[in-house]
Amino acid sequence: SSLFGSSLKAPERSPQTERPSPPRRPHVAMGACAGSAMPTEPAAERIAEQTAAPPQGASAGTLLASSPAKSADASARTPATASEAFAEHMQAVFAKDMDKVLKGFAENARFRVYWGNTGEFNEYLGHAGIREWYENEFYGKLGDMSDLKAPIRGREENMCFFAWEAPQRGFTRCFDTVVFEDTAEGWKIKYQNVTGSRDSTVGGVARSCPPTTASEAFEEHMQAVF
């Protein structure tokens, strides 16, 4: 027979066995820690939280984990953010609660004061020094604090600031910066810097510049004498 005339049969295939499909994994609902959108805090508050060191030993995805140095009970009694610590500090200052004022400072805090109208500068160290300033230089000269005002307050990361005045007591154009740190006892003030103008006479108005004329210098001299 002819080589090209003969019919060619395709080789027969063996029956194909169907492979079993792999078992489907059970559907896992995506919660707050994986995939779903979570409500966010205001940007300023988020920045403050980022400055805090993460708890040691906390696994990935853990939202609430207590570090060995700060128990859950301690965090409930102490400020959890710089904003909370700042608010508590301001309340204690206006309430003249000296114990709560000092509680808001770290043991090794530094408190610096500069009066621009006189050039006087002092630094107070630790709780003993800070108590001295508040009792003698602040509360001691503000009387009933009836005209004490702090119209401007704000925060950037772990630094808070506020402007204040008590013009009837001689304090004007004062501005404080307060630097906080996260400790085992909550957020504490590490540094506070105060600047402004202070007149030594009650009821006077502090000057931000030295006298520019002989008349002004003579008037201030006579006020100081009497």
Side-chain angles (χ1 to χ4, degrees):
S1 61
S2 173
L3 179 62
F4 296 100
S6 62
S7 60
L8 298 177
K9 293 183 180 181
E12 296 182 356
R13 297 180 180 179
S14 58
Q16 185 177 3
T17 58
E18 295 184 358
R19 296 181 179 179
S21 59
R24 294 183 179 181
R25 296 181 179 180
H27 177 71
V28 179
M30 305 298 285
C33 296
S36 63
M38 297 179 62
T40 58
E41 296 178 348
E45 192 58 46
R46 288 203 308 273
I47 294 174
E49 291 297 325
Q50 290 171 359
T51 61
Q56 297 180 357
S59 59
T62 302
L63 294 181
L64 297 176
S66 300
S67 63
K70 187 187 297 182
S71 64
D73 292 339
S75 62
R77 297 190 301 269
T78 58
T81 66
S83 293
E84 290 183 15
F86 181 52
E88 291 185 9
H89 172 70
M90 296 300 290
Q91 291 175 358
V93 169
F94 276 85
K96 300 179 72 172
D97 190 330
M98 198 64 241
D99 290 337
K100 285 188 177 181
V101 169
L102 292 178
K103 185 179 178 181
F105 285 90
E107 292 287 344
N108 61 344
R110 291 177 176 269
F111 194 102
R112 306 178 181 98
V113 183
Y114 173 71
W115 301 118
N117 62 314
T118 63
E120 179 184 358
F121 173 80
N122 289 290
E123 184 175 35
Y124 303 86
L125 305 179
H127 284 190
I130 295 170
R131 177 185 289 275
E132 176 188 350
W133 186 82
Y134 271 100
E135 291 183 347
N136 299 334
E137 301 299 324
F138 190 70
Y139 293 136
K141 292 181 170 60
L142 287 178
D144 60 2
M145 298 173 55
S146 57
D147 68 329
L148 176 62
K149 300 176 182 178
I152 300 174
R153 304 183 191 184
R155 180 179 63 82
E156 293 177 348
E157 297 185 358
N158 65 329
M159 183 200 74
C160 298
F161 59 88
F162 61 98
W164 61 278
E165 62 179 2
Q168 296 303 316
R169 296 288 175 173
F171 295 88
T172 59
R173 297 182 289 277
C174 301
F175 192 84
D176 288 26
T177 56
V178 187
V179 179
F180 288 85
E181 65 175 346
D182 192 14
T183 72
E185 299 178 350
W187 287 81
K188 300 281 187 179
I189 299 173
K190 186 175 183 179
Y191 306 113
Q192 182 165 350
N193 303 308
V194 183
T195 186
S197 297
R198 183 184 68 175
D199 193 341
S200 59
T201 59
V202 175
V205 178
R207 301 173 55 86
S208 59
C209 300
T212 58
T213 65
S215 297
E216 289 180 359
F218 179 69
E219 181 178 358
E220 290 188 7
H221 170 72
M222 295 305 293
Q223 289 177 353
V225 169
F226 290 97

